[in-house]
Amino acid sequence: LKTFWTGTADQMADLTTAAYKAIKSISPGTAVIAASSTTRLFGSVKNFFGPYAAAVKKQGYPIDGWTIHTYPAGNQGPADRYQKILEWQGVLKNATDNDPAAMAKQVWDTEINYGLAGPGAIPKTDFDANGSSQYVARTFVDSQRLGIDATFWYMWTASSFSLLGIQMFTGTTPSITAYNTTRSWLVGATFKGCDTDGNVLKCFFTKNGEAFFLG
C-alpha cells in the first residue's frame, strides 16, 4: 500500500535484511516476519509481493515467516478470503520457483475482518450477530485448512469501531463467543482434511485422542 511504502521491492528486501540482522543480534529468539501484503488488492500482490519475495530469496530469506492481511472486498466473505490466500500462495510459489525453503516458512495472517469499504466504490457492510459468529468461526477453520500458522483478528475495541464490519468489544457476545469457542476447539487439535457433504463443508480434526468435525 503506497500509504505505507513507496520504495521498490528490492529496497524493501534490503530493509528486511537490515531489520533481521539488527533484531537477531540483540534478541536471537525474536521472530522476524516479512513485510505484509494485502490480498484484497491482488494487483499489488502480483506486482509488488512477487518481486519482493523473489528479492527476499536472493538475500537468503532473512525472515522467520511471511505475513499477509486477508481482508476481502467490502461485500465479500470467508470464501473469498480463502480464494485470495490460495492466489497469494500461487504468487509466492512462482516468485520463489516453489523453493522448499520459502514454502516451509510460517505464514501469519496479521489482520482480518470483513465488510471494510473498498476496494474502490464498494461500500462498507455490517453483519448481524449470526453472520458475525459464522464468519469468525469459518475464518479460523480456513486458516487451519490453508496452513496459516497464526491468525490475528482485527480487532477488540473499546466500543463500536465504524471501520469494521464485524465488531468485537464488551457487549458483542456472539462474536466473542464464536472466537473463544473456535479457539478452544482448534488449539492443540490436528487438522485431518475436509470434504463436502451436499452444501456443507466438513473439516475433520483429532484432539486428545478423539476425532471431531466442524461443519
Side-chain angles (χ1 to χ4, degrees), residues 22-132:
I23 293 167
K24 292 292 187 178
S25 71
I26 297 170
S27 181
T30 294
V32 180
I33 55 176
S36 185
S37 57
T38 302
T39 58
R40 72 186 334 208
L41 301 172
F42 201 70
S44 296
V45 175
K46 292 187 293 184
N47 297 331
F48 189 89
F49 175 72
Y52 170 66
V56 169
K57 177 183 178 180
K58 291 178 183 177
Q59 300 203 27
Y61 299 111
I63 57 171
D64 296 307
W66 306 101
T67 181
I68 47 180
H69 293 172
T70 63
Y71 303 107
N75 56 355
Q76 295 180 338
D80 303 285
R81 170 186 181 258
Y82 184 92
Q83 183 59 40
K84 282 291 185 287
I85 295 174
L86 290 178
E87 294 171 4
W88 175 88
Q89 290 173 335
V91 171
L92 176 61
K93 289 178 181 179
N94 290 335
T96 62
D97 297 319
N98 203 18
D99 185 355
M103 307 314 297
K105 297 289 185 184
Q106 290 196 358
V107 179
W108 293 11
D109 181 358
T110 51
E111 285 189 31
I112 173 60
N113 202 306
Y114 298 91
L116 282 71
I122 298 174
K124 176 178 179 282
T125 302
D126 292 311
F127 299 94
D128 61 19
N130 184 56
S132 296

Side-chain angles (χ1 to χ4, degrees), residues 2 23 28-29 49 84 105 117 121-122 126 146 149 156 160 167 184 198 204:
K2 291 182 179 180
I23 293 167
F49 175 72
K84 282 291 185 287
K105 297 289 185 184
I122 298 174
D126 292 311
L146 291 162
D149 297 279
W156 182 285
S160 181
Q167 303 295 326
S184 72
F204 301 89

Side-chain angles (χ1 to χ4, degrees), residues 93 139 183:
K93 289 178 181 179
T139 294
R183 185 179 188 278

